[in-house]
Amino acid sequence: MTKKKKNIKETEKESGFSLEKYVPEKYQTIALIGVILIIFLVYFSPMYFGDKTIQSGDIITSKSLTSYVDKDREGYTLWYPYIFGGMPAYALAVDFKWFNLIYVGIRVVRDIFSSFFAAEYAMWTFYLLLLAINSFFLINYLTKNKLIALFGSVSTSFSTGIILFLFIGHVTKLTALAFFPLIFLILLKFREKIKLRDFALLTIALQLSVQGWHVQIIFYTLFAIGIFYLFYIIHALAAKKNDKLKQTFKSALSFTAAFIIALIIQSDNLSQIYLYNEYSTRGSESIIDNSMGVDPKKADSEFYKYATNWSFSPEELSTFFIPSFYGSGKSKYSGELTKGQEIELNTYFGQMDFVDLPMYMGILIVIFGLFSIYLNWKKPFVKYLTILIVISLLISFGRNFSIIYDLMFYYFPFFDKFRVPSMILVLVQLAFPILASLGIKSFLDAKNKNDAKIEKLIKNSAVIFSVLFVMALIFSGMLQDSIGDRFAASEKGKQLIRYFNQYNFDIAQVAKSMFSADIITIMGILSVSFWLLFVYYKNKITSSLLLLLLTGFTLIDLLRIDNRGATYVADQNIDQIFEPPAYIKAIKAQQNDEPYRILNIKKDGSYGSLNHNSNYNAYFLEQDMYGYSAIKPRAFQDYMDVVGPINSTLWNMLNVKYIISAQENIFPGLELISQSENEFVYENKRAMKRAFFIDSIMTGKPIEFLRLIGENQIFPHEVALVEEEVEIEKPDSAASVQITNYQDEEINISVNASGNNFLFLGDTYYPHGWAAYIDGTETKIYRTNHAFRGIIVPPGSHEIKFVYAPVSFTISKYLALVFSGLILFLFIGSFFYRESKASIEE
């Protein structure tokens, strides 16, 4: 009898190291997920088990919010009064949004995960871990190889452009990206069969993806899904496969239904952000553009320039291969120049304003991904991923190659609301590890088929990369000179050289050393990896060992770049940052019970100052006239554009009672209350109260009014701007205004009006939710002084109440409760139905 031919797995299990030899197949998934967890535990050990945490300006901004959300409330907040005169808070969760049961579930799991670790910030690595696990399942589904799935999954989570979000505090992006692979896994399953359980799981994944409500990342996810369906519709039509076309339409309808349900569950946020959009810097043009008749979408408008900040460039594609080709936004140096002391440096000299890290995915990911396109072009999903990558790259170029970007900006719904065109590169960072995994699978399959052509390709590649590695070693000096010349010729490089020359520090040498080290490392990794592939083809090592080594090389490659952006500080340092500074103590000591605002006009980079505000003062529950938000109120930004933050008339109008300065008083009406080294704290004696009566009303263009304020030609109590005709009477000496209760979402004012007096309230005008009542009867709120509120009060004594209670939120939270409960019931119930069905059949 002839012996049965053994497959490659059986041969490897007998002849050498293999996963099957040590781990039974039914335990391999859980074992490799355990390996992913171990990698996380090792890499993030300073934060998990040490006394370290990650710190950045955005993390400080997030931390500044904690005192506000920790105040006694029912689990969510709606209005944030501590910056800009107030802005919507989008029902930001405090403990639980109890009405969203899906969120409650993921929050419980996340809290259990983070409870084992020392640093509070460790909770956000949970989403990176979820991204790795979801990527594992997607890639395993595509390749049917769990070790390839391990390679692709860790490459995705540790990709520099993705892990960077953790380092800089952009964690809402991570919450959206974590479920991207799971969504596409289910969409691929839908191409075969649509199951109720998969539909419920897709709805849950979509809901969790939109939970953090980072609209731009959500848009890019939907954009990728739209291209997915468009591609497969065209593919089915071209192949004349009606059954595939029908299934694609069924899948698209199922996805649409799941997404609509996910949005309904998330409508507490959706409704608020949709209404706020037209009042934010993202949704409306600047007053300057409007006054000059400038089309906000033209390339010379402030709106377009704002949207296209951080446009990627074709030249910076080189950083996909050599991460330091344009320096590095963050890097660490210790050597001769610092006598061994480690310091953090910025050597980036590309065309963007600044970056923290390059968009580096790992050299093996890029090279295997490109090989995959060549080897697997006939596979539809590879074609789709390639098209997605090309389109994303073209859009990311923004104003640097505006043909495609402008088509999107001018004609694609909602696209003009976003800035940072380079952010769409997250799609590239997610797609390339999948392509690379499919590329490795092709190499393994070709070996099983004894494909001599692929074997020759691998051997030639190994030789080429080896030659390049040797050349990089020999000519490292020339490589350093090449980047040194480019560094010195660039505008940013010149600025850096001038700055560091005063400290006798050769910053160019740091950039040069980093560049040559990167090239040598990259060529070394490529050379060794392709020789390992060749050795595998010669049956000298097993596929399991090959894949583990490739995974290790990729992790080494990625983590060395990731480490440049990982800035750890002692965990207690975060709390020390929020020890009340001297000026906060001085202001608190005044024991002022009435509402007031403060403004720190220092520009020394200290927390809470103009150039490093980070909403720091909000942590101490001090209302700041200034602040930071990527979606600040448009009208407030108009004041900053026309008037600027340092203007005594503006301070007086907006109840800015305390000014912190690095210089002695240069403004009238300021009285010194505290002084320390390089810091003066003043009480503004001319500041109006938060609410006061106005003598008269003027009409006209808002920009004219703002310019009068900028020139200090306006006295806030004498005249106010209302953009519609109203009749009022000047208050006499008997008129009075007293705020009796000031809460985030409710303000009570006792007034005595001598006639039809006009009451000005120096809080942000926002009609979607704020209502005013005089003795219980609703009255109209007028947009006053372009950005604030005013009402007409009839003669006599009255109790006035301003209440923020958006009807849209009240409705949406109960919709969320019903639909989230329904989807969880379907998902959990599907398991019992399956077991019950199997039992009946048995």
Side-chain angles (χ1 to χ4, degrees):
M1 292 180 65
T2 58
K3 291 184 178 180
K4 182 181 177 182
K5 187 177 180 181
K6 296 179 180 179
N7 63 37
I8 190 71
K9 285 187 176 181
E10 291 172 337
T11 303
E12 291 185 350
K13 187 173 182 180
E14 294 175 1
S15 62
F17 175 82
S18 70
L19 181 63
E20 290 76 13
K21 190 174 182 179
Y22 296 99
V23 184
E25 188 167 352
K26 65 179 180 178
Y27 298 119
Q28 287 176 11
T29 296
I30 191 67
L32 291 178
I33 289 176
V35 170
I36 294 171
L37 179 59
I38 290 171
I39 293 170
F40 270 75
L41 292 175
V42 171
Y43 183 70
F44 292 113
S45 59
M47 185 163 53
Y48 285 163
F49 309 115
D51 62 347
K52 303 294 184 183
T53 191
I54 294 171
Q55 181 178 317
S56 73
D58 288 286
I59 293 172
I60 296 300
T61 301
S62 178
K63 179 76 172 177
S64 299
L65 189 69
T66 55
S67 295
Y68 168 59
V69 298
D70 285 345
K71 290 195 303 181
D72 184 26
R73 58 184 74 246
E74 59 175 309
Y76 51 81
T77 65
L78 292 174
W79 188 257
Y80 188 49
Y82 292 98
I83 55 175
F84 311 135
M87 63 182 294
Y90 311 133
L92 182 66
V94 181
D95 294 314
F96 289 118
K97 289 197 282 188
W98 55 265
F99 45 84
N100 184 340
L101 300 181
I102 294 173
Y103 170 75
V104 170
I106 196 72
R107 176 68 184 268
V108 169
V109 175
R110 189 192 76 187
D111 288 349
I112 292 172
F113 169 82
S114 59
S115 67
F116 292 98
F117 307 126
E120 180 184 3
Y121 195 71
M123 75 173 75
W124 300 113
T125 63
F126 173 75
Y127 293 100
L128 271 177
L129 181 61
L130 271 184
L131 175 61
I133 293 171
N134 287 332
S135 296
F136 178 90
F137 285 112
L138 171 61
I139 295 170
N140 185 54
Y141 176 83
L142 290 168
T143 64
K144 305 298 186 291
N145 188 307
K146 293 180 176 62
L147 283 175
I148 294 178
L150 175 68
F151 167 84
S153 62
V154 296
S155 300
T156 301
S157 278
F158 288 98
S159 184
T160 304
I162 291 177
I163 201 172
L164 174 65
F165 295 143
L166 178 75
F167 297 152
I168 62 177
H170 291 194
V171 290
T172 55
K173 295 173 185 175
L174 289 179
T175 62
L177 293 174
F179 301 95
F180 185 93
L182 179 58
I183 292 168
F184 272 85
L185 171 60
I186 299 171
L187 294 185
L188 288 170
K189 286 186 173 184
F190 275 7
R191 292 191 51 73
E192 300 170 8
K193 187 177 181 180
I194 300 171
K195 299 179 181 179
L196 180 62
R197 180 186 299 176
D198 288 339
F199 175 82
L201 183 58
L202 175 63
T203 307
I204 292 170
L206 286 168
Q207 200 285 309
L208 292 173
S209 182
V210 302
Q211 181 65 58
W213 205 245
H214 195 285
V215 182
Q216 195 163 353
I217 297 296
I218 296 167
F219 177 90
Y220 292 151
T221 302
L222 294 178
F223 182 69
I225 293 169
I227 294 175
F228 175 87
Y229 279 115
L230 182 60
F231 170 81
Y232 277 104
I233 288 171
I234 295 172
H235 184 266
L237 288 172
K240 298 181 179 178
K241 294 182 178 180
N242 291 331
D243 56 332
K244 292 293 184 183
L245 182 63
K246 185 178 179 181
Q247 186 66 16
T248 301
F249 278 114
K250 285 183 179 179
S251 171
L253 287 173
S254 299
F255 168 79
T256 302
F259 185 67
I260 289 172
I261 295 172
L263 288 183
I264 291 172
I265 296 171
Q266 193 61 25
S267 58
D268 59 307
N269 287 70
L270 173 62
S271 59
Q272 304 311 299
I273 200 167
Y274 176 78
L275 293 171
Y276 175 62
N277 178 62
E278 65 174 306
Y279 292 90
S280 75
T281 50
R282 296 295 182 93
S284 54
E285 63 191 48
S286 75
I287 196 172
I288 296 176
D289 282 348
N290 183 274
S291 67
M292 297 174 63
V294 176
D295 185 340
K297 290 193 174 183
K298 293 300 182 183
D300 59 346
S301 72
E302 292 300 318
F303 188 81
Y304 183 88
K305 291 175 183 176
Y306 177 77
T308 54
N309 281 337
W310 282 273
S311 294
F312 203 54
S313 65
E315 295 85 357
E316 291 196 57
L317 285 172
S318 55
T319 60
F320 287 2
F321 300 90
I322 306 170
S324 58
F325 197 85
Y326 280 95
S328 180
K330 278 187 177 181
S331 60
K332 297 177 179 66
Y333 173 83
S334 61
E336 184 180 347
L337 297 176
T338 59
K339 298 180 180 180
Q341 181 181 357
E342 185 176 84
I343 61 172
E344 189 173 286
L345 294 172
N346 175 3
T347 59
Y348 174 72
F349 62 98
Q351 57 82 42
M352 289 186 276
D353 289 355
F354 62 86
V355 298
D356 289 276
L357 285 175
M359 291 290 179
Y360 187 60
M361 296 171 280
I363 193 61
L364 289 181
I365 294 297
V366 175
I367 297 301
F368 284 150
L370 294 175
F371 271 116
S372 180
I373 295 171
Y374 169 70
L375 296 172
N376 298 307
W377 183 246
K378 291 183 179 180
K379 295 181 179 179
F381 195 60
V382 170
K383 287 183 180 179
Y384 158 71
L385 290 175
T386 306
I387 291 169
L388 179 65
I389 287 169
V390 171
I391 292 175
S392 299
L393 284 172
L394 292 174
I395 293 173
S396 75
F397 295 149
R399 61 185 178 219
N400 294 320
F401 185 76
S402 61
I403 296 174
I404 303 299
Y405 178 85
D406 284 355
L407 286 174
M408 296 284 292
F409 187 78
Y410 293 137
Y411 303 111
F412 207 95
F414 302 109
F415 188 81
D416 62 337
K417 312 302 180 190
F418 307 132
R419 61 172 184 159
V420 190
S422 59
M423 196 184 298
I424 199 173
L425 291 175
V426 295
L427 297 180
V428 179
Q429 305 257 326
L430 291 166
F432 250 107
I434 302 172
L435 279 177
S437 300
L438 291 169
I440 293 176
K441 180 67 163 59
S442 297
F443 284 136
L444 299 187
D445 290 345
K447 195 264 186 181
N448 295 340
K449 297 174 183 176
N450 296 317
D451 191 325
K453 182 181 177 181
I454 301 300
E455 183 177 347
K456 184 178 180 181
L457 175 65
I458 291 171
K459 182 179 179 180
N460 291 340
S461 298
V463 171
I464 291 170
F465 290 130
S466 296
V467 171
L468 291 174
F469 174 62
V470 173
M471 291 177 65
L473 288 172
I474 295 172
F475 300 108
S476 63
M478 293 178 61
L479 291 172
Q480 290 193 22
D481 290 340
S482 69
I483 192 174
D485 293 341
R486 290 192 299 112
F487 186 86
S490 68
E491 190 59 38
K492 285 190 177 66
K494 291 175 183 177
Q495 293 173 4
L496 288 168
I497 289 171
R498 283 197 299 269
Y499 176 79
F500 282 99
N501 276 348
Q502 61 183 320
Y503 302 105
N504 296 317
F505 187 89
D506 189 355
I507 186 67
Q509 182 58 45
V510 177
K512 291 191 290 186
S513 299
M514 189 188 307
F515 179 69
S516 62
D518 278 353
I519 292 183
I520 291 171
T521 303
I522 286 164
M523 292 306 165
I525 289 173
L526 285 172
S527 176
V528 172
S529 297
F530 274 85
W531 280 121
L532 282 171
L533 265 173
F534 182 72
V535 169
Y536 165 71
Y537 265 67
K538 294 301 181 182
N539 296 316
K540 300 299 183 182
I541 61 173
T542 63
S543 61
S544 294
L545 181 58
L546 170 69
L547 292 171
L548 287 175
L549 288 172
L550 293 179
T551 301
F553 292 154
T554 298
L555 274 174
I556 291 170
D557 188 23
L558 284 172
L559 297 184
R560 68 189 183 89
I561 307 302
D562 294 344
N563 284 337
R564 294 173 183 173
T567 303
Y568 286 109
V569 298
D571 193 23
Q572 61 267 27
N573 283 3
I574 294 288
D575 294 328
Q576 290 174 2
I577 287 172
F578 287 95
E579 285 292 323
Y583 71 85
I584 291 292
K585 292 178 180 178
I587 292 170
K588 295 284 190 187
Q590 304 305 305
Q591 298 183 344
N592 197 325
D593 294 330
E594 293 186 332
Y596 61 85
R597 292 195 176 97
I598 71 172
L599 181 65
N600 186 339
I601 62 174
K602 294 167 64 177
K603 295 182 180 180
D604 57 358
S606 60
Y607 291 112
S609 60
L610 278 183
N611 59 354
H612 199 173
N613 185 278
S614 298
N615 301 338
Y616 176 74
N617 296 314
Y619 182 83
F620 307 103
L621 299 181
E622 295 289 347
Q623 295 187 19
D624 195 335
M625 190 198 85
Y626 206 61
Y628 168 77
S629 172
I631 48 174
K632 67 182 68 170
R634 174 74 263 176
F636 177 84
Q637 185 59 44
D638 289 339
Y639 267 93
M640 295 302 98
D641 293 341
V642 178
V643 180
I646 303 178
N647 178 275
S648 57
T649 300
L650 183 62
W651 299 345
N652 297 342
M653 182 178 75
L654 293 187
N655 184 222
V656 181
K657 194 170 183 64
Y658 301 102
I659 303 292
I660 302 94
S661 174
Q663 301 175 349
E664 292 194 57
N665 175 29
I666 56 173
F667 293 97
L670 299 187
E671 181 179 292
L672 185 67
I673 61 170
S674 176
Q675 179 180 346
S676 58
E677 186 178 0
N678 299 322
E679 183 173 280
F680 302 86
V681 183
Y682 293 99
E683 181 179 353
N684 180 14
K685 292 295 187 178
R686 296 187 180 184
M688 304 299 295
K689 292 186 177 182
R690 184 63 55 88
F692 56 90
F693 283 131
I694 300 290
D695 289 352
S696 62
I697 295 296
M698 65 176 286
T699 57
K701 295 182 178 180
I703 194 168
E704 295 173 353
F705 184 81
L706 267 60
R707 284 170 177 162
L708 289 173
I709 291 178
E711 296 166 1
N712 294 308
Q713 297 297 312
I714 289 286
F715 292 97
H717 69 282
E718 290 185 355
V719 63
L721 174 75
V722 177
E723 296 174 50
E724 54 187 290
E725 294 291 338
V726 294
E727 293 185 5
I728 69 165
E729 298 172 80
K730 181 178 179 179
D732 62 22
S733 58
S736 64
V737 178
Q738 180 67 44
I739 293 179
T740 56
N741 178 53
Y742 189 99
Q743 301 297 325
D744 303 341
E745 294 148 15
E746 182 175 324
I747 303 168
N748 301 100
I749 309 172
S750 293
V751 303
N752 183 47
S754 59
N756 285 322
N757 299 154
F758 192 86
L759 179 71
F760 174 81
L761 178 66
D763 287 354
T764 301
Y765 173 80
Y766 183 63
H768 300 302
W770 276 109
Y773 301 89
I774 300 177
D775 299 328
T777 302
E778 187 170 0
T779 188
K780 180 175 181 177
I781 300 177
Y782 294 90
R783 184 169 185 165
T784 307
N785 294 355
H786 182 57
F788 307 103
R789 304 178 216 164
I791 62 172
I792 297 176
V793 182
S797 297
H798 304 283
E799 295 298 321
I800 295 173
K801 181 184 290 187
F802 286 87
V803 178
Y804 186 66
V807 175
S808 56
F809 177 76
T810 303
I811 296 172
S812 61
K813 70 178 181 180
Y814 290 109
L815 286 173
L817 177 63
V818 171
F819 279 89
S820 62
L822 176 63
I823 290 299
L824 286 176
F825 174 79
L826 289 176
F827 181 66
I828 297 171
S830 67
F831 288 92
F832 292 101
Y833 172 76
R834 183 178 178 181
E835 290 182 6
S836 175
K837 183 179 178 182
S839 177
I840 292 170
E841 289 175 350
E842 190 175 316

